[in-house]
Amino acid sequence: MEKEGRQSWDSPTQFFLACVSYAVGLGNVWRFPYLCQMYGGGGFLIPYLIMLAVEGLPLFYMELAIGQKMRLGSIGAWSAISPYLGGVGLASVVTSMYLCLYYNIINAWSFWYFFHSFQSVLPWSDCPINVNRTGPVEECSRTTPTEYFFYRETLNIASSITVNGGVHTGQVLCLLLAWFLTFLFIAKGVKSTGIVVYFTATFPYLVLFIYLIRGLTLHGALTGVSFMFTPKLEHLANPATWINAATQIFFSTGLGFGSLIAFSSYNDYHNNFERQAITVCLINSGTSIFASIVTFAIYGFKATVNFENCLENMRLTLLNAFSLPEDAIDIDNVWDWVTKLNTSYPEQFAQLGINPDDCNLEQELSTAVEGPGLAFIVYSEGIKNMPLPQIWSVLYFFMLLLLGMGSMLGNITAIVTPLRDFKIIARIPCEVFSGLVCVFFLCLGLGFTTPSGNYWFTMFNDYGANFSLLFVVLFEVIIVSYIYGIKRFEKDIEDMLGHRPNWYWKVMWVVVSPLLLIALFIFYIVRYIQGGAATYPAWDMETGKMVTTEYPIFGQVFIALLLVSAVSCVPIMALYELYKRRRVGYQKRPQTISTIST
């Protein structure tokens, strides 16, 4: 391993912004609002903030301290503690490789939507015309224009993971652009990354602030925000609420990937990472809440528009069916007329097929969507109904790009930094090695641009990181507290900061965080066992809906490989180190007479 001549950040501000840019990502925009919606609205903030204190802050602090002390990437840092522990760092690298494989395809989708936003009419506003030009495409008519554009025109999605096909040319070009920008951002190591983070860490907040002002002025926005922050405290009795709060804190802070260790390894030895760790974690959680206000403002607008459109359709149906004057019914008294007409003309009313549950604002607001569905479908649905939708679309997808690219900087650094710590790789010019890494991932990532690519994306997203990251971070905290030793770790921190960590940090590292990680680890194992065969949502072209489908045998086998590949690095590297030492020991043993004579 090599530390001499190691690069460093030009200032502590660059390191701080790099951590913010990495930690604040797409999960803040598309997962936290979903969890609030599912687990108690404003009441979800209680377990979320508790988990921030007992899990997020101490583990974030710990990884920054390890990187700054060892001044090595994840493999070198854990190997420096014990050669038998290098597998922990390798597991982080493997997990980051899986994440990099599929994460940049999200940026490719953002580019696709961004470029399509510069049109006089947003292409997801209406269904396209069929080839005979006799009406809209039939498949689009069975779903919504926004869903059709995402699944069929953006993804060109197949009906199953077993369906093969060529790549989507547009997506390939967008993916190429995403990896080209990634290369430019990391080409010169932290010298180039440090400049980029000034923009990727700050501009998304400007866009969010603009969206906040615009969102709160939309019709029905306050209804959505009120829905979010109305606490449903009964959810606090549900263990799933606490588990999801802990999981969200864990993944939103980016623990276990090795990115934080890599970033802090470029710090000055006496940099005040303690203050930075606290600030970054608070900014990350604050951003989640801030983004949720924006999201639920858009949600409230979308739900209100859909609700009022439903009432308008019902009003027109009643007017036509009963030959009433145009001004006899408005959307405010539709339900009064429904009750009146149903009572006066029950047989004729029954033929209309009007269901009171068809128009329900509460149900519209309760429809929970996460991930790409929220980012590329729900937001697009809301944007298309805004005045001057092109402006808001350009701003929104540019913000997604910056969030995604900012996180990619951390993900790719978690791979490049520990590999460049090896002398043989350190001899390769930084630009050349970074380029080779980007080309490698670009070639592998082309599979996500095929018709079945979204199903492989789902597989990597569901199984590529969750299990292995919990395993890695559990090992990290056990190594620091019980193998390296908490007393020794305290002295290292005192040497760097001038003071020892207080009782709060030590109690978290030694007791609370390990127990919480063990509980989460057991939960995931039990869930995988009880879940039976793994499933994925597949696009049904007949109905225009996603249907739950079981992975084929090869998919189940690949999932098993994803689950064990990173975790297996720990025992494999330990056994390899043991083998090397025994072999060296055997070769150094005194030779016997028979050996000499031979």
Side-chain angles (χ1 to χ4, degrees):
M1 299 293 178
E2 191 68 52
K3 284 196 255 186
E4 299 298 327
R6 190 177 189 80
Q7 290 184 332
S8 62
W9 301 103
D10 287 342
S11 67
T13 302
Q14 284 190 350
F15 165 70
F16 172 76
L17 290 177
C19 290
V20 170
S21 183
Y22 167 65
V24 177
L26 297 173
N28 300 77
V29 175
W30 74 24
R31 179 154 175 80
F32 183 80
Y34 163 81
L35 293 175
C36 283
Q37 197 173 20
M38 287 290 293
Y39 298 103
F44 181 73
L45 295 178
I46 297 173
Y48 177 77
L49 294 176
I50 290 175
M51 292 303 170
L52 171 66
V54 302
E55 177 193 23
L57 277 168
L59 297 179
F60 199 94
Y61 182 116
M62 181 190 74
E63 288 202 354
L64 293 188
I66 288 293
Q68 187 164 310
K69 168 63 182 177
M70 301 302 179
R71 292 185 61 76
L72 290 165
S74 55
I75 298 175
W78 300 113
S79 296
I81 292 176
S82 170
Y84 294 101
L85 299 176
V88 177
L90 183 58
S92 294
V93 172
V94 171
T95 305
S96 293
M97 290 176 66
Y98 291 157
L99 182 66
C100 281
L101 266 179
Y102 74 87
Y103 201 91
N104 237 2
I105 193 64
I106 303 174
N107 293 327
W109 297 341
S110 297
F111 270 121
W112 175 264
Y113 271 78
F114 178 75
F115 294 141
H116 279 80
S117 299
F118 293 93
Q119 298 187 23
S120 57
V121 177
L122 294 178
W124 54 85
S125 297
D126 300 296
C127 287
I129 303 299
N130 60 31
V131 292
N132 298 323
R133 307 196 68 80
T134 58
V137 172
E138 186 178 349
E139 185 180 351
C140 183
S141 300
R142 293 191 290 266
T143 178
T144 65
T146 49
E147 287 185 301
Y148 181 83
F149 182 82
F150 179 67
Y151 288 114
R152 298 296 288 134
E153 298 198 19
T154 301
L155 305 182
N156 188 29
I157 198 168
S159 58
S160 167
I161 195 173
T162 59
V163 177
N164 297 314
V167 297
H168 186 316
T169 305
Q171 286 302 313
V172 170
L173 293 175
C174 289
L175 184 62
L176 176 62
L177 179 58
W179 275 111
F180 178 69
L181 286 180
T182 302
F183 165 71
L184 292 181
F185 294 166
I186 66 167
K188 296 184 180 297
V190 296
K191 295 300 181 184
S192 54
T193 301
I195 297 172
V196 172
V197 294
Y198 282 106
F199 191 65
T200 60
T202 57
F203 191 79
Y205 288 98
L206 175 61
V207 177
L208 276 175
F209 184 71
I210 294 172
Y211 250 93
L212 176 67
I213 296 173
R214 181 68 187 101
L216 292 178
T217 60
L218 292 170
H219 178 50
L222 295 180
T223 302
V225 175
S226 175
F227 180 84
M228 172 197 167
F229 281 104
T230 300
K232 304 175 183 66
L233 298 181
E234 63 273 12
H235 283 275
L236 295 180
N238 182 2
T241 302
W242 295 84
I243 290 169
N244 278 282
T247 303
Q248 175 64 13
I249 285 291
F250 183 89
F251 292 114
S252 68
T253 49
L255 301 170
F257 287 105
S259 303
L260 299 174
I261 293 176
F263 279 156
S264 60
S265 71
Y266 298 113
N267 276 341
D268 177 80
Y269 186 74
H270 297 291
N271 174 65
N272 190 350
F273 61 85
E274 179 178 89
R275 182 175 57 198
Q276 292 167 329
I278 295 171
T279 307
V280 172
C281 285
L282 292 178
I283 288 175
N284 179 56
S285 296
T287 303
S288 293
I289 298 171
F290 180 39
S292 293
I293 296 174
V294 177
T295 297
F296 273 88
I298 304 296
Y299 236 91
F301 169 65
K302 170 185 171 292
T304 301
V305 169
N306 289 346
F307 173 66
E308 292 181 350
N309 286 341
C310 180
L311 292 179
E312 176 63 17
N313 291 334
M314 189 179 295
R315 185 184 77 88
L316 294 175
T317 301
L318 294 177
L319 290 175
N320 294 331
F322 295 95
S323 302
L324 297 170
E326 179 69 23
D327 59 352
I329 306 176
D330 57 45
I331 62 172
D332 293 326
N333 64 8
V334 166
W335 291 118
D336 295 334
W337 277 92
V338 166
T339 303
K340 179 180 177 180
L341 294 172
N342 189 25
T343 303
S344 303
Y345 310 98
E347 294 183 4
Q348 186 177 354
F349 187 86
Q351 295 176 358
L352 299 178
I354 293 178
N355 184 352
D357 292 332
D358 290 342
C359 301
N360 190 317
L361 181 58
E362 186 77 14
Q363 187 174 340
E364 284 279 353
L365 289 168
S366 300
T367 303
V369 182
E370 66 169 328
L374 175 60
F376 295 100
I377 297 176
V378 175
Y379 257 93
S380 296
E381 185 76 27
I383 287 171
K384 77 176 187 180
N385 292 314
M386 295 181 186
L388 301 175
Q390 293 82 1
I391 295 176
W392 304 108
S393 185
V394 168
L395 278 175
Y396 172 70
F397 290 110
F398 188 55
M399 180 192 70
L400 279 192
L401 274 171
L402 291 178
L403 290 173
M405 295 305 295
S407 295
M408 269 301 299
L409 292 179
N411 299 334
I412 200 73
T413 302
I415 299 170
V416 172
T417 296
L419 293 181
R420 286 193 60 79
D421 286 336
F422 291 96
K423 291 182 179 179
I424 188 171
I425 296 179
R427 297 191 185 102
I428 304 174
C430 186
E431 295 90 339
V432 175
F433 182 69
S434 298
L436 291 173
V437 170
C438 290
V439 170
F440 172 76
F441 283 115
L442 169 64
C443 293
L444 292 181
L446 292 176
F448 295 116
T449 67
T450 63
S452 61
N454 186 62
Y455 304 132
W456 290 98
F457 168 87
T458 301
M459 186 187 298
F460 273 86
N461 189 41
D462 290 345
Y463 302 101
N466 297 5
F467 184 79
S468 55
L469 284 180
L470 285 170
F471 180 84
V472 167
V473 179
L474 177 59
F475 250 86
E476 287 180 354
V477 74
I478 290 174
I479 290 169
V480 168
S481 298
Y482 298 102
I483 297 178
Y484 188 72
I486 196 67
K487 295 293 184 183
R488 188 177 174 186
F489 191 51
E490 283 184 76
K491 291 181 180 178
D492 290 340
I493 292 174
E494 183 180 24
D495 188 36
M496 289 185 284
L497 301 183
H499 67 269
R500 295 199 173 198
N502 60 36
W503 63 269
Y504 160 73
W505 301 110
K506 290 183 284 186
V507 169
M508 295 300 112
W509 292 328
V510 175
V511 181
V512 180
S513 293
L515 290 178
L516 180 60
L517 289 169
I518 290 171
L520 285 174
F521 194 65
I522 293 173
F523 164 75
Y524 272 95
I525 292 176
V526 171
R527 193 177 72 169
Y528 286 134
I529 293 174
Q530 293 180 343
T535 60
Y536 66 100
W539 180 257
D540 185 352
M541 296 184 184
E542 294 298 321
T543 62
K545 302 293 181 184
M546 302 300 282
V547 294
T548 301
T549 306
E550 188 174 304
Y551 280 108
I553 296 299
F554 71 83
Q556 306 280 355
V557 172
F558 194 83
I559 287 171
L561 291 175
L562 283 178
L563 291 174
V564 303
S565 54
V567 172
S568 63
C569 292
V570 177
I572 289 174
M573 289 291 287
L575 291 173
Y576 176 69
E577 183 65 27
L578 180 63
Y579 165 76
K580 282 200 312 181
R581 288 175 177 253
R582 287 192 173 183
R583 183 179 180 185
V584 171
Y586 176 79
Q587 291 174 344
K588 289 184 178 180
R589 287 169 54 190
Q591 294 177 314
T592 61
I593 294 177
S594 60
T595 303
I596 296 173
S597 62
T598 301

